[in-house]
Amino acid sequence: MPLLQDHIAVVTGAGSGIGRAIAAGYAREGARVVVLDINEKAAAETAREIRDAGGKAESFALDVTKREACVAMARQVADKVGPVSILVNNAGIARRNGMLGAAEAVVQDWEDIIAINLTGVFNVTHAFLEPLRGAKGRIVNIGSIQSFLHLRTPSSPAYTASKHGVLGFTRALAAELGKDGVRVNAIGPGFIETPLNEKVRASNPELAKTFIAHTPLGRAGQPADIVGPAVFLASDLSAYVSGTIVMVDGGYRTV
Ligand code: NAP
């Protein structure tokens, strides 16, 4: 039997990159997938690809920073799709101004990154809590190597703070929701080739080489590399796993 048969899975930021790969992977394992993204067209494209491959998916536009919209979306999904049992908080952005950049840019980065990468995770989780508790659900939050350290790739203090926050939130939720049978874990991707880092890869190929040289597996990751761990954390294979982070970084943090 497919590993996620009879589950309804919500994936945020699923119009692109890692989220799109997870959504497709969950559908291959039998889940009905709710594809959410700020970009309505991209979300619809992911859902169409899933359906064309024989899976079950619908898509909706959602900006995770809009708390009321998240609550309304949870109602809409309950009415139109059914009770959600898996939530993947994947939507995220990266900006690369350090603290010493132009003040306006630094402040804007802080506000946008914290609003999407951290408050967005809270907003969507809070909105979908009821069905997740009812279903002894599973929550998978997308962290980063930067849930533990700062990378000078370059990256911003806001991004590092947001991903540390995602890990802290994961632990707090796991502690509080365990009694309801809800499991909450994170995934820490390493350097994964997606549109998120397209610009920096194009403008600074040396950076990717340096990163890969530090990675024991000796290559950049692809969105498909995240799918297996994401299926594991959403399925019964991980029935006694909660409050942890699975690093999918080619071993980056070991050396
Ligand atoms: P991506 O290809 O840019 O996909 C992210 C998706 O989220 C995009 O479709 C984006 O839409 C959407 N999004 C942005 N703001 C949103 C909002 N307010 N509400 C809803 N959706 C929103 O990036 P990715 O590399 O797959 O990243 C996915 C997650 O993995 C992020 O949390 C990222 O921090 C994390 N991560 C990535 C890497 C990596 O190397 N790629 C490493 C560690 C962690 P737009 O394109 O329209 O903005």
Side-chain angles (χ1 to χ4, degrees), residues 90-168:
N90 164 79
I93 60 164
R95 302 258 179 80
R96 299 178 196 282
N97 289 303
M99 197 68 174
L100 305 179
E104 214 172 283
V106 174
V107 170
Q108 194 63 55
D109 283 3
W110 180 269
E111 290 188 346
D112 293 348
I113 289 173
I114 296 298
I116 298 171
N117 294 13
L118 186 54
T119 308
V121 174
F122 168 83
N123 288 342
V124 180
T125 305
H126 199 230
F128 282 95
L129 257 190
E130 196 185 309
L132 287 166
R133 291 178 71 202
K136 296 191 191 308
R138 300 97 206 252
I139 300 172
V140 180
N141 297 323
I142 305 300
S144 167
I145 289 173
Q146 287 173 243
S147 293
F148 296 96
L149 47 85
H150 183 70
L151 289 174
R152 287 179 291 186
T153 38
S155 181
S156 63
Y159 188 82
T160 297
S162 73
K163 292 300 183 181
H164 274 62
V166 166
L167 180 55

Side-chain angles (χ1 to χ4, degrees), residues 70-89:
C70 293
V71 172
M73 181 56 59
R75 259 189 244 119
Q76 193 177 348
V77 170
D79 291 347
K80 290 195 178 155
V81 186
V84 169
S85 51
I86 297 167
L87 168 63
V88 181
N89 284 306

Side-chain angles (χ1 to χ4, degrees), residues 186-246:
I187 289 177
F191 171 42
I192 311 294
E193 289 179 345
T194 71
L196 181 101
N197 46 39
E198 211 161 26
K199 249 195 224 156
V200 77
R201 279 186 280 125
S203 65
N204 192 348
E206 279 312 306
L207 207 65
K209 279 192 201 148
T210 309
F211 204 97
I212 289 166
H214 182 94
T215 301
L217 290 182
R219 65 169 175 88
Q222 298 301 320
D225 290 311
I226 309 295
V227 175
V231 169
F232 167 71
L233 290 176
S235 77
D236 291 342
L237 289 177
S238 58
Y240 200 52
V241 180
S242 198
T244 195
I245 182 165
V246 176

